[in-house]
Amino acid sequence: MKRLHIGAGKNYLPGWINLDLFSSVRADIYADMTALPFDKESFNLVYASHVLEHTHRHTVLATLAHWRDMLIPGGILRLAVPDFGAVVKYYNETRDLDSLIGLLYGGQTHPKNNHFITFDAGTLTRDLMKVGFKEVRRWDWRKTDHADFDDYSQAYLPAFKKHSGLLVSLNLEAIK
């Protein structure tokens, strides 16, 4: 199985092709996520955790279509993005805006580390279907081969409360 991990950051996944924009992190390939240097239908699985929101809202569909093209027929695009529905729920229950700033706007430690769009299950599902995916479903980070790599697909509030907190990552996968 050939697998691509877009936006590897601090989580280099063994057995995957790890891609990142920044040469300051360990990756196999350094490239922009909107212009992947691979032939069409190169991968069975493409995984992108908390990177899609870093593309401009007017290029989201083109980015999703580009990622779809990297998949073989029947291949899976596994996404994790900040969950706006969970953000709103958490805010309404706690009024704790400080804990939500990073989810809403990104780390802002670099000009490319900003969020330009937000999603809920409905909008992301709509966009995935719009670019030609056949089926969209939720996925559970605990049931993946990368569950031991604590990326933002495992983001909970309050922070680090995986057993009692609210999952604030929207984890969807789409089948080509």
Side-chain angles (χ1 to χ4, degrees):
M1 178 189 268
K2 199 167 176 189
R3 302 172 296 178
L4 174 65
H5 179 206
I6 300 172
K10 296 176 184 175
N11 288 301
Y12 185 91
L13 300 180
W16 294 65
I17 295 173
N18 291 270
L19 180 138
D20 205 283
L21 179 64
F22 301 110
S23 60
S24 60
V25 299
R26 181 179 175 203
D28 303 305
I29 296 172
Y30 299 96
D32 187 292
M33 67 179 166
T34 63
L36 299 175
F38 305 107
D39 293 331
K40 290 183 177 184
E41 298 184 1
S42 293
F43 298 97
N44 303 82
L45 176 63
V46 172
Y47 177 48
S49 178
H50 287 250
V51 296
L52 182 60
E53 63 276 9
H54 292 270
T55 192
H56 290 271
R57 64 188 177 115
H58 298 295
T59 61
V60 166
L61 293 177
T63 301
L64 289 173
H66 179 53
W67 293 353
R68 180 208 60 226
D69 290 346
M70 297 298 108
L71 291 166
I72 64 169
I76 296 173
L77 173 61
R78 182 175 296 154
L79 296 173
V81 297
D83 185 344
F84 187 70
V87 165
V88 170
K89 179 179 181 186
Y90 185 82
Y91 179 76
N92 283 336
E93 290 174 359
T94 67
R95 296 295 187 219
D96 176 14
L97 183 58
D98 291 337
S99 294
L100 302 171
I101 296 296
L103 285 164
L104 292 169
Y105 302 108
Q108 298 187 3
T109 55
H110 183 278
K112 298 256 182 187
N113 191 10
N114 298 298
H115 293 181
F116 295 100
I117 189 163
T118 191
F119 301 95
D120 64 10
T123 59
L124 187 53
T125 297
R126 176 201 65 210
D127 289 350
L128 289 163
M129 298 299 282
K130 196 180 283 187
V131 300
F133 283 96
K134 296 178 186 174
E135 178 186 338
V136 178
R137 61 187 179 218
R138 289 191 183 261
W139 60 274
D140 184 342
W141 62 266
R142 294 172 193 87
K143 297 178 181 175
T144 67
D145 64 341
H146 51 84
D148 292 337
F149 295 86
D150 193 355
D151 63 15
Y152 289 108
S153 69
Q154 302 177 31
Y156 285 81
L157 286 175
F160 310 111
K161 301 281 186 179
K162 291 185 182 180
H163 299 291
S164 60
L166 175 66
L167 179 65
V168 290
S169 180
L170 174 59
N171 300 339
L172 295 180
E173 58 185 20
I175 300 170
K176 179 176 177 181

